[in-house]
Amino acid sequence: MGNEATLRSSMVGLAVVMVVVWLWTQSLKKTVVTYAVGVTLIGGILLPDWDFFDRSFSRWSYPVTAEERAAALSRKSHPSRFRLYPMRMVVYGMVYGYAVYRWWMFVAN
């Protein structure tokens, strides 16, 4: 139930940002781009395939094996929503920082 509530509150927050962008710019194009960027960023944080990403960084370019999937299912007994790994945080920070920067430059102009 918590995942749905988190997704719902994120989408409501995105709707508020879209209204602010619309009022500030009066541009449907910029509002639609804000929606697309927001949904992509929300999806990247809240809806990742943890069975895929919850592996060594060097294994990300390979498909999930049956053994890895079985190990992931066995760990589901004690769920933790967000796992903090340094390499993942660096990649997320770079990708999301660049996306927000490009979005801001688009909306501000």
Side-chain angles (χ1 to χ4, degrees):
M1 210 52 191
N3 292 344
E4 291 86 8
T6 304
L7 179 62
R8 188 179 313 116
S9 63
S10 297
M11 294 304 287
V12 168
L14 176 59
V16 169
V17 170
M18 288 173 58
V19 167
V20 169
V21 167
W22 170 254
L23 292 174
W24 183 35
T25 64
Q26 295 291 312
S27 170
L28 180 62
K29 181 179 177 182
K30 291 180 180 183
T31 305
V32 169
V33 168
T34 300
Y35 173 77
V37 169
V39 167
T40 303
L41 294 179
I42 289 169
I45 292 175
L46 297 179
L47 306 175
D49 180 11
W50 287 114
D51 294 343
F52 182 82
F53 288 110
D54 191 23
R55 309 183 293 164
S56 172
F57 180 71
S58 63
R59 297 277 306 147
W60 283 9
S61 61
Y62 300 104
V64 177
T65 64
E67 294 84 16
E68 290 171 336
R69 190 162 304 275
L73 289 174
S74 70
R75 288 191 303 262
K76 296 287 184 182
S77 62
H78 51 80
S80 63
R81 178 65 185 137
F82 296 106
R83 296 178 189 97
L84 299 176
Y85 295 109
M87 183 57 81
R88 184 181 301 163
M89 299 309 291
V90 167
V91 170
Y92 274 7
M94 289 174 17
V95 170
Y96 283 71
Y98 183 73
V100 170
Y101 168 75
R102 294 298 299 176
W103 168 79
W104 180 254
M105 296 310 294
F106 179 76
V107 169
N109 292 327

